[in-house]
Structures are given as C-alpha cells and as structure tokens.
Amino acid sequence: MGPNVQTFIGCGAPYNEATTVLFGAPFDSTTSYRPGARFASSAIRSESIGIETYSPYQGADLEDFKIFDAGDLDLPFGNAARVMDTIEAFCGKLHDNGKMPVMIGGEHLVTFGAVRAAAARFPDLRVMHFDAHADLRRDYMGEFLSHATVMRRVWDLLGDGRIYQFGIRSGTREEFEWAASHARTELFTLNSIDSCAEAVCRYPAYVSVDLDVIDPSEFPGTGTPEAGGVSFRDLLDALLCLKGLDVVGFDICELSPHYDSSGVSTALACKLLREMLIAYS
Amino acid sequence: MGPNVQTFIGCGAPYNEATTVLFGAPFDSTTSYRPGARFASSAIRSESIGIETYSPYQGADLEDFKIFDAGDLDLPFGNAARVMDTIEAFCGKLHDNGKMPVMIGGEHLVTFGAVRAAAARFPDLRVMHFDAHADLRRDYMGEFLSHATVMRRVWDLLGDGRIYQFGIRSGTREEFEWAASHARTELFTLNSIDSCAEAVCRYPAYVSVDLDVIDPSEFPGTGTPEAGGVSFRDLLDALLCLKGLDVVGFDICELSPHYDSSGVSTALACKLLREMLIAYS
Amino acid sequence: MGPNVQTFIGCGAPYNEATTVLFGAPFDSTTSYRPGARFASSAIRSESIGIETYSPYQGADLEDFKIFDAGDLDLPFGNAARVMDTIEAFCGKLHDNGKMPVMIGGEHLVTFGAVRAAAARFPDLRVMHFDAHADLRRDYMGEFLSHATVMRRVWDLLGDGRIYQFGIRSGTREEFEWAASHARTELFTLNSIDSCAEAVCRYPAYVSVDLDVIDPSEFPGTGTPEAGGVSFRDLLDALLCLKGLDVVGFDICELSPHYDSSGVSTALACKLLREMLIAYS
Amino acid sequence: MGPNVQTFIGCGAPYNEATTVLFGAPFDSTTSYRPGARFASSAIRSESIGIETYSPYQGADLEDFKIFDAGDLDLPFGNAARVMDTIEAFCGKLHDNGKMPVMIGGEHLVTFGAVRAAAARFPDLRVMHFDAHADLRRDYMGEFLSHATVMRRVWDLLGDGRIYQFGIRSGTREEFEWAASHARTELFTLNSIDSCAEAVCRYPAYVSVDLDVIDPSEFPGTGTPEAGGVSFRDLLDALLCLKGLDVVGFDICELSPHYDSSGVSTALACKLLREMLIAYS
Amino acid sequence: MGPNVQTFIGCGAPYNEATTVLFGAPFDSTTSYRPGARFASSAIRSESIGIETYSPYQGADLEDFKIFDAGDLDLPFGNAARVMDTIEAFCGKLHDNGKMPVMIGGEHLVTFGAVRAAAARFPDLRVMHFDAHADLRRDYMGEFLSHATVMRRVWDLLGDGRIYQFGIRSGTREEFEWAASHARTELFTLNSIDSCAEAVCRYPAYVSVDLDVIDPSEFPGTGTPEAGGVSFRDLLDALLCLKGLDVVGFDICELSPHYDSSGVSTALACKLLREMLIAYS
Amino acid sequence: MGPNVQTFIGCGAPYNEATTVLFGAPFDSTTSYRPGARFASSAIRSESIGIETYSPYQGADLEDFKIFDAGDLDLPFGNAARVMDTIEAFCGKLHDNGKMPVMIGGEHLVTFGAVRAAAARFPDLRVMHFDAHADLRRDYMGEFLSHATVMRRVWDLLGDGRIYQFGIRSGTREEFEWAASHARTELFTLNSIDSCAEAVCRYPAYVSVDLDVIDPSEFPGTGTPEAGGVSFRDLLDALLCLKGLDVVGFDICELSPHYDSSGVSTALACKLLREMLIAYS
C-alpha cells in the first residue's frame, strides 16, 4: 500500500515518462495589499476533483497527455532572492530533461524565476503576459524584486519588444509611459492576440497569466481585484490562439483562494489550467 | 389568529383555487462534490421578500396568478429510490388535480421523480434541459440514481430525440459521444432555443433548469461551479422563448445557498422563479 | 508629528484650496431588507490603497486635482428628518464656498438631502439617476422618507421631466405607471445616455449612482441585489458621457461591504469613485 | 392541503389553546454599530430543526406545553415610536387573553414595548435584565428611544430598585454612577441570581435577555460583541434559578445571525429559547 | 522524482513498518441537517502543517512513532450499506496485519463500519463514545443506517453495558430512557472517565470521538452544534486518561470544515489527532 | 475644516502633550502559515468605536490619559532587516522624547525592533511574553529574522533569565529543551504571574502579547490558532497584575482580522488594548 498521493486531476504520469511537469510555487511575501496566493497550488489540487478531465472546448482529455505533478517547492518566506534561485534551478532542470515546466503561483514575482530559466536556454524567448496590472515599476518602496516590478525584471533580461501584455487596466502614469517605448501593451482587452500570435510564432514563448486579468465578477479570489476585466471565455479563446506557438513554459498566478469563500475562483483556475495543459502539452 | 405561514412572495392562493403548485424537494444525498442544495427551497422562500412581485420584463405581476406554495416534501436522506417515489406521487396528484407542479430542488436527481409523473400522463413529453453538465452517465460509482445520471434516466423513460439540452459545458468524453446520437445537446450557449421551441411546440414540455447553467460570476452558490456559463439575461430570454409551449411542469435545481455568503445566488433564483411562474402559469 | 489622517487615495488637498469635497453619509436606518450601507465610506477609504491614483481610461491622475476628504458626517440613527437636514446643511455650505460636494452613502435616501441643497441653489437642476430600483413610491409602510421613495421626494422638489433614470429593472406596477408620465425612465440598459446627456447639457446636473445598478456578479456587496444589471464598464462609459455636463454634485450609494467578503464590491466602488472624481472635478 | 407553516420546533398549538405565544419583532433601526438583529426571528425558526424538542437539562419536552408561534410583527423601519406602540398593543392583547408573550428581538429597544404592556397590567413588575451593556443612557445622540437607553426608559416606567441587571461589563462612567443609586447591577457575573430571585419571588417578573451577555466565543453573532462574558451554561443555570418566579413575559434579543457564518449563535439561541419556554410556560 | 505525497504531519512511515494506519472516510450522505463532514480528512491533512509534531502535553513527538497515512477510501455517496462494508473490510485488513486503524470521518455513521471490524476480532470490545448526541435511535425516518442511530447499531453488535458515553447533551426522551438500561451515559460532562477507564482496562477498547462533544465556541465547524459542551482541554485530559487501555482502534468524526471559515475547528482537530496518535500508538 | 482623522478611541491627545504614543506596524512577510496580521492596526482603529472608553474593570477612562495615535509606520514588505531598523528608530525617538511606545503588530517579529530600542535605553530590561508559541528557534528555514525566532533574537540581546513566558503550548522539542536553561517558560497557563511580577518589579519591563495566547474560541482571528489557550479574562487579570511594574513599552501582535468574519477577535483586541493603555500609561 502506497502513501497518499495528491495531484491535479489527470496528472498521474511518472516523472520519467512525462513531457510536462506541473509544480507549485507557494510564495507571496512581497504582496503589498492582500496576501494569500501561497495557498493557490494546494487549493487547485484539492478542488480539481470538481471538474472533468475532458475538455469540450478542445475535444481532448487531460489523460491523453503525459503530465507529472511534482507538488510544491519549499520556499523560504521573506527571502525573495533565494526564492528566485530555487524556482530557476527547478525549471532549469526540467528544461534540461526535455520537460515543459508549468508553475502554479504564488504571487506574480515567481514568474521571474521561471523566465530566467527559460531565457537562459531559449535566447529568443518572448513573453505573453496576461494581467490587470502592468507590473512595470523600476522598484517598489526601494525593493527590486516585487510583484509590482516583475515584468520590468523580465525586461532587464529580454529587452525591448519581447514582452506582449494583454488586458492591462491598472498602473502608474510612469509605467504606462515607460511601456509605450519598451513593451507591447494592450489596454483593457485581448483583441490584438491574433496579430501578436502571428508575430511571435517563430520564437519560443513563455505564457504568464496573472489571473486577475479576469474580471473580479468571475474571479474574486485574488489579492488586488480590478473591475473591468476580461471574461473567462475571452481569456480561454485568447490562450487557445497561442496553441500553435512553441510554448516552452507557462504559469498561472495570483489566485488567493481564501478571498473567495464560494470556491468559484479556484474552480475557474482548475478549468483554465486543464485547458492550458491540453493546449500547450 | 393563525399560525405563521411562509410562502414564496405572491403565492398565497388556496390550494383549491390554484392552477400552479410550488413545492420544495430538499434532497442532496447523491451529490458527489459539495452538498447543500437541500437548503435551497427554504432560502428561496425567506429571501423572496427582497424582490417585487411585479415583472418589468413581462409587464405582469405574480399576484395576477393563482399559485399555491405547498412547502417542502419530507424526504429521507440517503434513500434515493424512496425519494423518487415520493416526488413522483406528489406531482402525479397535482397533475391529476389539474395543477401544474413547480419544484424547487434539491440536487438535480429530483427532476427524475417529477418527469416520471409527467411522462406517465403526457406520453409525448419533451424535456427542455438547461445545465452546465450533461448528466448523461450510465451510472456513477455503480449507482444508477445520481445527480450525474439524471438525464440518462430521463432518456430511459422517453427515448431518443426527446431531450433538448442547452448551455452544456462539462462532461466525460463518453457522455458527449453518447449524446451525439441520443439527445439534442447545444454546447456552451442557448442559441438554438428558437428552433427547438418551434420543434417542441406541439408537444407537452417539461422545463428543467439546473441553475449552474448560469455563469458562476452571477450564480456562485452551487455545488459544482463551471466557468464560462450563460448570463441571467440570456437564460431569461431563452426561457421566455418557451412561453408559448404547453409547459406541464418545471423545476429549478442546484442552488446551494451556503456557498454564496453574499446572497446574490438566492436572489437570482427568486427572480428567475418569479419570471418562470409568470411565463408558464 | 500630526495625528493619523485617513482619506480616499489622492484626496489630500487642504479644504481651502479644494474645488471638490468628498464626505461620507453613513446612514441606513430606513433600509427594509439588508442593512449595512453605513459601513461604505469607511470601507472605501481604507480599501482605496488597493488601487492606483492614475486612470488609464481617462489618461489623468487623481493627484492632478484639488480634492479634500472631510470624513464622515455625524448622523443620528433612526431619525431620517434630522439626517436630511444635516446633509443639506453640509452640502449647502460647500456650494456656498464654491466647492462641489461628493457624497458616499449610505442608503439611497441620503441623496435627497444633497439634492435639496443643490436644488435650492440651482433652480434648473436635473438629476441623472442610475439604479436597479425605481425608488418612486409615494410612501413605504406609511413613511415618506425612505430608500424606496427617494426619487419621488426628489420629484416633489423638481417636478416632471427633470429626473432621468437608467438601468431600472425593479419596482411595483404602480411605480412604473407613475414614471411613464413624470420621469424619463430607461429600463434595463443605459442606451439612452447620449441623447439624455444632450438634453441636459445646458442645465446644472446632479448625478446619483445607486451602485446596485451594476450586476450583482460584479457588485454583490449591496442590500438588495437584482440580477440582470449593467456592467462596470458600461456604467463607466455612461458616466464618462456626462463629462461635458455642468455637474454640481454627485454621489455613490448602497455599497454594503459586509455582504461581499471578497472585497470586490468595495474595490469596484473605489475605482468608480476615482473615475467620477477625475471626470467631474 | 394547507399552506406552508413555519414555526419554532414544538410550538404547534392553536392560538386558542395556547398558554404561551411566541412572536418576532424584527426591528434594528436604532442600532448604532452593526445592524442585523432584524433577521433573528426568521433564522431562529428555520434553524430550530437542528435541535431536539426534549431538554435533558429539565427532563421535559417542548411538546408537553401549549405554545403558539404567531410569526413576526409588521414593523415600520425608521419609526421607533410606532414600533413601540405596535409591540405594546400586541403584547397587551396576549396578556388580556391570558397568554404569556415571548418575544424574539430585534435590537434590545423592543423590550421597552413589551415591558410597557406588562407594567400596565402588573404594577408590581420587576425586570430581570441579562446583558453585556448597561443600556442606561438618558439619550443617545439626542434620541430617547434607542437600544442604548432601553433600560433607562424601563426605569422611567418602574422607578428605583425594580431593575436587576446581571453580567454587565460595558457602559459609560455616567451609566455606572447612575446605576449605583437606581438599579441593582451586577458586574461581569451572575452570582447574585439566587438572592435576587428570592427578593423578586413575590412579584410578577419580566425576563429580558440581551444575548450578548454570553461570551462572544460562544455567541459571536451579535452587533456589539464584548469579551469577558458568561457561558451558555452559566446563563442557563441562572435562568433556571428563576423558574419559580411568576414570569409574565420574556424576550431574547440581539442575535444578529449574519455576523456568525458558522450558525453557532443561532443554534445557541434556539436552545436557550427551548429551555426558557419549558421553564417559564 | 516522486509524485506529490500529502499526509498528516509526522505520518511518513512506510506501510510495512507502520504500527498505526491513518485513513479518511469522506462520507456524509445520511446527515440530516448540515452536510460537509466529507471534507474533513482532506482539510485535516492540508492544515496539519500549521501545528508542530511535538506535544508539550505528553513530552513526545509524533515522529517517534511509526504511522502510515493511507489517504481516503473511495466511498459511493448515497449507499450507506456499501460504505459500511468498505470500511469494515479495510479496517479488518489492518487488524489482520497487526496495525491499529485510525479513521477520520465523515459523519458518525462511519464508526459502525470500523467497530464491526474490531468486534469481529475482539469479542470483548468496549466502546468509549464522546459526543453531544446520544445517537441511540432505533431508526431515523425509517432508515436503520444513519448518523442518528450509529450507537444503537453498535449496541446491536455488542449488547448491554459495553458502550460508555460521555458529554451527551442532546437526544429524544426515548433515547435517554432507552440508554438508562442499555448503556453507561454521562450527561453534559466527562467526570466519570476515571472510573470508566478502570472498568474497561482489562478489555480491548475502541474510542470514538464525535467532535461536536466539544463546545461550539471552540469547535464551530460541525453540522449540528450543541451549546454547553466540554472544552478541548477537558476532552484531551479525558482521552489521556485512556492511555493505559488496550486501544485497538479509534476515530474522530463530524468535522465539517466549511462551516468554520476561521479554520479554528480544523486546527483543533489536527491537534487532537496528534495527541491521540501519540497516546494510543 | 481639517482632514479626516482616524485614531483608536480616546487617543486624541496632541503629540507634544502625550505620555503614551500608539502606532501600528503592519508587517507580516515572514509569516509561514496564514498571513494577514498586516491588517490589524487598521481594523483595530476602525472597530474601536464599538467599545466604550470607560473600563469597569479598572474604574477608569481612556480619556483620563494623554495618548497620541501616530498611525502606521511605512514598512517595506519582504525586507525584515529594514523593518526592524524602522521600528527601532521610531520607538527610540519616542523613548528619547519621554513617551512610552505602544505598538500594534503585525506579526510577532516586530517586537524585536521595539525591544532593541528599549534595551538600548534600559539595560536591565525584562520581557514579559504572552504567547501560544515559544518563538525560540535559532533560525527558520535558514532565516534568522522570523516570527518563529523572535524571542531567541530577544535573548541574543538580553541573555539568560530575562525573558518570562506565559501560556506557551506549542514548539519543537528543541525549543522546550533550550528554554529550560535560558528562559522562564510557563506551559499552558498564567499561574506564575504573581511571583514573576514580584521578581521583575525592580526592573524596567517590556510586555509583549501575542494574541494567540488566548484560546481560539475567543480569538479565532489569528494566523496560527492553537487550541487550549487562556481566556480573555485570565489574560486581563494577569496583565493587570503587572500594573505596578515599570512598563517602558508594550505591544499586541498577531491579530489577523480577515480570518474572523464575525469581528469578535478585533473587538477583543480593542478591549484589551484599552485596558493595557489604562493600566500602563
């Protein structure tokens, strides 16, 4: 009799056979407003039994793929630099073993660790960034590693024109002015997804979804809800537009399950993760 | 001085004069994920005072109709077969007295009891089924009477081509494959409602609304929320499309009020019930 | 070292320099269904730190304006007449000092106090009223000052054709019949906003937003949620349509923060208030 | 078939046969801090099915008594004077018909209406008052009818030495100084209950329980929780000490069920009500 | 790299070396009032990281013992008989392998399955039963397998004088009368624990804790809260009194974590389980 | 007209006249389990209006004292060292101005900053530490500044025999062994308070209250609830025992208000803070 194994539904492949590896990064120490994203990966695993493994959107089943769920990383609270190193090392090992890393955040800063690992191996990397917030500050209260600076840190690695942002509807005046000359930032909607997908199709791509891009009506369980977001269905359609890209890694971040006592946000995150796993694996 | 009577707003007609009889079926024992639909009828009655009896959508008032609220059936938890019998017997008596039964679930399995009573009296019965889930499994963990099998049991009674499904967005691969040759299943949306209403107009119809067909943003208070649903307004428009049909009974199921601490789901259910009572009475 | 000051974000101007004055009216004693709007102004101030002062919708920043936050009025619970007098006196003083009053309710009755002050100074006043409920009853259980009668009381002051209502989807038959000959009432939607803005553009206008005009999916934190409402984005667009008007005062009412444990409703109210302050200051 | 009747468990006697009549007074308009006591009577009735009718504390069953549940009074929000009149009239009629009134508040002010009815008929009336708060202010923000003044108003009727207070642990300095010469006020505990019961045994007594006398750990569902209260068991023992008195009416007030999402407070109130009905009927 | 293993803290021994085996029985279909105990085992495992493995009460550490966590049984909702068989078979296998079964319920009915396995192997079995409710009904709405009948079913197996009940404070008159001649039932408190422990010390004992024996103030997360319970500390002391007994199996039941949004109930259950595992392993 | 000032009730003295200065330290980045203590100071200020300024326990009123509420410090999330420096500097300035610092945490680590300031000025300082957890680890996951190490860091400053711990009921075996020779640690209860107060009476004392020392039944709103705690009344009595000491600073930490939706925990913290301010000012 073996010990109790808990994975995301349909992710029961052994590590050696897996082409995709799912893991959690339960870290939220730099969150400035409402913390709790640390609980996302655990909630997503245990609530995933509420959905089916089959996707009627794609006509495919999660169990048709070879996906391994590695559980959560051990991350020291309060030391963002060490956390970045741990995530980068883990993702790097997966890349080197020919497996695609899929990360469940945590606050959005964790994306920086994963992108560092990808950028080191895929020099042409592009980042597709779905978010309510621009996350482009140079620093936040003097700190460089912060949920509010994460895409600026990604830009430090990748440079101009490599970051595509969708659904952005919050930021400082400085962030929007900076973005105008350094990133491709679509305000409020996802309409440019087709043309962006076309522009990126020859490059390896990392897809980062800050779930607060979705309207708080559909996704209240997040630290910094911003009214006026996109719908689940619109986001799903946009993400399926990227199906033909060479996605080398992706993440979903900023589910804070305790802020949604109905469980609807966690259920949505489970469904979105199923669809992304099917689409990009 | 009489005892304390509690009914759904505007449903104060005496039984003998009533053409429509409302009742609750507080049962959720086969629910596999999150129970609580047993509390729906009680919550709907007590929260109904928060809405008006007048519908600006239809320009009519609930008090223009003769509706009797019979309260809740006494249902033994954990014995689905006895529960089906009790519901069938109660609905049958209403049919035989010339009154339309209107049931507040409970989990969706309760629909099977009501449909059995209707099918026995209206051999040409059609079922209009609004739901996020196909509910077409042959069995669930070996059990034949289950919320996940209810429309398959209805098919056992009615046979091919009699079940019209709308808004379905979750199920196993097997359910969708089976549905292709046995039911009329519209995925994700309600667009086919006009043509279906036309096809059904010559037959007696039973309308069953699993409230989780509505998007969880508008209706979080349900056991198995599925992102990507229809809006209240779309559902209402579709249900009003059926106004011309010979509706011989209807139900609303799967409100689980405790999962929505804001009370919004219960308020929506009250409003939908008002509209359906006005439209079909 | 000065005492702890708490204001809505970006509203740090001194009173003397301010052109706009924000204040709270924490009163909900006539609420007949679910009270709690008394907590709105406090919640909005403390949660406003979760949003930015910059609006990407208008390309402007709250800090570009001179706004003073006066805190909350002291209002005696259970004495609606005294409350009306207090609000009228306070708003009147602001008008007389050349400052625009901006009120955070409270239940919707508080609007009557603010409109009394405005109507006394701007005899041509028009009221733009966004709400799920008509609020046009002559009295409520024999009381004339009630959340359910507030627009009728405004009509007592202004007379026929001066009240423009948008998004209304609940009321008694009598209210809708009365409205047909005394107000300009748009059911369900905001589509007539352009033509109404044009009709009103030569007059001073008071804008009153009962936040329950927004769909409960986006705004569950209110006393009487009514399904089928407008979206935040639609409401924002409509309110920005009024940007060219001579707005002499405005309010947002009926946030009841305790009914939304996710905090999403309060966050939306903060954002809407930011946009209105930028648009009308 | 009769309409849906909802009563407190075991209170199914017809009015004519009843010796005790239970009713609700859903009023909370003068509440200055957190409203919601208006929902108490409805919550108590519907949750009472979670307890048994039998009391192992007293070895007796609620069904051994003749108790009628009259439902809730219709009370106009925002007009405390009319509310007092309505309660007094209703209780007076019960007294005149030889039945004991038992009231479920509502905020504590409702007690004043019931005591007025009793005092008019029982000139020697004593009041046994269990509460965390002294409720002895002369006025509250200029209002005389307020939850914070209710026992002062009772004193206006009864005069010195007729009010016995237990468990008091909050008040202004002025209230405590006033109490020293006008009432019998026990701080923090219920230890004097025996001697007080003896002192009162020759007089008709009205028992008023503000449920916040109980520690918030056991009873969080109240508007103004005060740490350091008595336990349910201590309160029950004290109330059973009064069993031999000539109790001519009693009430339980200030359950605010929405503030306790666990339902524990409502369940406690149900149990306490069962015990008091058995003890005093 | 191995898959994600989730166990109760400190329960990481392999099956073969373990002397104690922990498992979950997530079943609550016969619950008549508020369901949700099905979520207990999952909640207890994931929240156990909030406590230490070391017990200052016993001066011992969970990691000093060999305990295996087998995860949850697969139980069909709505078929109580099959559920009993599954639990009995699993426990029986553990007994036959020389391991002590420790079960996390589920509703209290699951105890019957575990006791059947124990009674078949230990004919002299005694049951120590901690509960707010007597659970001694002959049947419940005609059903014999019910949470309300579980100790009566245990009596069917064991006969008179073998069941010791503690803390009981709710039941029908019939249950208490029946108990007087068939069981050893202590009302309200745990004071007889010493003498009972002495009486039982020569026999194999099964310990069943319905967590609602604890006062709802300390343990609100349960389906049927009963005011007037014992404290955690009193219960722990009583359970440690049984340390010298030959405990052959035990369970904790009726945690319903969703009813306690603070998480305090789950944390208490984790701590109690740690103490029982240390005391009886 | 001045801006909106928000202080703890009764703390309206100007800085220059004040003998006591209250401030918040909203920091919780090293919290390893459930964050949220950052919201405590804001919640305590806004909820303080629910209690009176008068204490019947001490027969004194908060308004008899000169207390200034300085609001919250600006603390960078994720940089514990900078946070310690900021707190130390602020407290040091207060000490140097002859004012007693009173801090509302935040997680318990903030105590280290305040003690550093006190120890630098009062070399004989003793620390009276009330807590459920020993907080004596050498490091936590390699980090030295952590909520789990705070009393060990205090020991680094003060050395053996200067730390008095009360109510401790959780820790690792290593912590308890270490404590035996380096601190004065009372397990579970507060009984040694009198003798400790006597031992400390000649020295300056800092009092640190981790509010989770209180039983979770009375105080569920904390990150790491530990069953089996002391009561509010016991804690208050113990704290009043210290009234004669030369208290040079104190704090209350680890209220996490979002985990207690009833608001009871915040209300208790307000009351305790009132009592400590009166006792030690």
Side-chain angles (χ1 to χ4, degrees), chain D residues 46-61 64 217-219 232-233 260-264 267-268 271 274, chain E residues 32-34 133 137 168-173 175-176 187-188 215-222 224-228 259-261:
Chain D
S46 63
E47 297 305 308
S48 68
I49 59 165
I51 63 167
E52 305 284 353
T53 53
Y54 179 74
S55 163
Y57 301 92
Q58 303 188 62
D61 197 296
D64 302 339
S217 60
E218 301 186 35
F219 195 78
F232 166 78
R233 192 57 209 258
D260 175 10
S261 61
S262 74
V264 159
L268 183 152
K271 190 167 175 175
R274 179 189 74 193
Chain E
S32 54
Y33 186 47
R34 305 194 307 180
H133 307 89
R137 298 190 192 215
I168 309 299
R169 56 191 186 276
S170 177
T172 63
R173 179 176 269 156
E175 284 178 277
F176 286 108
L187 288 185
F188 311 130
D215 194 78
S217 60
E218 302 186 35
F219 195 79
T222 194
T224 313
E226 274 283 335
Y259 282 105
D260 176 9
S261 61

Side-chain angles (χ1 to χ4, degrees), chain D residues 50-245:
Chain D
I51 63 167
E52 305 284 353
T53 53
Y54 179 74
S55 163
Y57 301 92
Q58 303 188 62
D61 197 296
L62 210 46
E63 299 193 330
D64 302 339
F65 300 87
K66 297 284 187 192
I67 308 171
F68 172 78
D69 184 344
D72 287 350
L73 299 183
D74 269 331
L75 301 174
F77 283 104
N79 192 327
R82 272 179 63 200
V83 167
M84 292 303 101
D85 293 345
T86 306
I87 294 171
E88 181 181 6
F90 186 79
C91 290
K93 183 176 145 197
L94 298 180
H95 285 304
D96 295 343
N97 287 342
K99 299 171 197 303
M100 177 174 69
V102 177
M103 178 169 60
I104 307 173
E107 58 158 273
H108 207 178
L109 178 59
V110 298
T111 297
F112 182 50
V115 169
R116 281 207 319 221
R121 286 155 183 86
F122 305 97
D124 282 339
L125 190 72
R126 265 63 179 167
V127 170
M128 313 301 278
H129 171 219
F130 299 82
D131 203 332
H133 307 89
D135 290 355
L136 290 171
R137 298 189 192 216
R138 200 192 66 99
D139 67 275
Y140 189 76
M141 294 181 75
E143 303 290 323
F144 285 85
L145 291 177
S146 161
H147 68 103
T149 67
V150 59
M151 283 300 141
R152 187 67 170 265
R153 292 295 85 74
V154 167
W155 177 86
D156 291 343
L157 289 177
L158 303 185
D160 284 352
R162 301 279 205 90
I163 301 172
Y164 294 78
Q165 299 188 304
F166 304 91
I168 309 300
R169 56 192 187 276
S170 177
T172 63
R173 179 176 269 155
E174 292 67 30
E175 284 178 276
F176 286 109
E177 287 172 356
W178 187 91
S181 47
H182 298 287
R184 228 283 309 123
T185 301
E186 179 180 354
L187 289 186
F188 312 130
T189 53
L190 314 171
N191 298 334
S192 67
I193 191 75
D194 281 315
S195 60
C196 291
E198 202 171 337
V200 171
C201 67
R202 291 168 306 131
Y203 304 105
Y206 185 93
V207 181
S208 179
V209 178
D210 184 325
L211 290 160
D212 66 20
V213 70
I214 300 171
D215 193 76
S217 60
E218 301 186 35
F219 195 78
T222 193
T224 312
E226 273 284 334
V230 304
S231 70
F232 166 78
R233 192 57 209 258
D234 286 344
L235 178 60
L236 176 57
D237 288 347
L239 291 169
L240 295 185
C241 266
L242 307 182
K243 205 168 169 171
L245 300 194

Side-chain angles (χ1 to χ4, degrees), chain C residues 61-115:
Chain C
D61 197 296
L62 210 46
E63 299 193 329
D64 303 338
F65 300 87
K66 297 283 186 192
I67 308 171
F68 172 78
D69 183 343
D72 287 350
L73 299 182
D74 269 330
L75 301 174
F77 283 104
N79 192 327
R82 271 179 64 199
V83 167
M84 291 303 101
D85 294 345
T86 306
I87 294 172
E88 181 181 6
F90 186 78
C91 289
K93 184 176 145 198
L94 298 180
H95 285 303
D96 295 342
N97 287 342
K99 298 172 197 304
M100 177 174 68
V102 177
M103 178 169 61
I104 307 173
E107 58 157 271
H108 207 178
L109 178 59
V110 298
T111 297
F112 182 50
V115 169

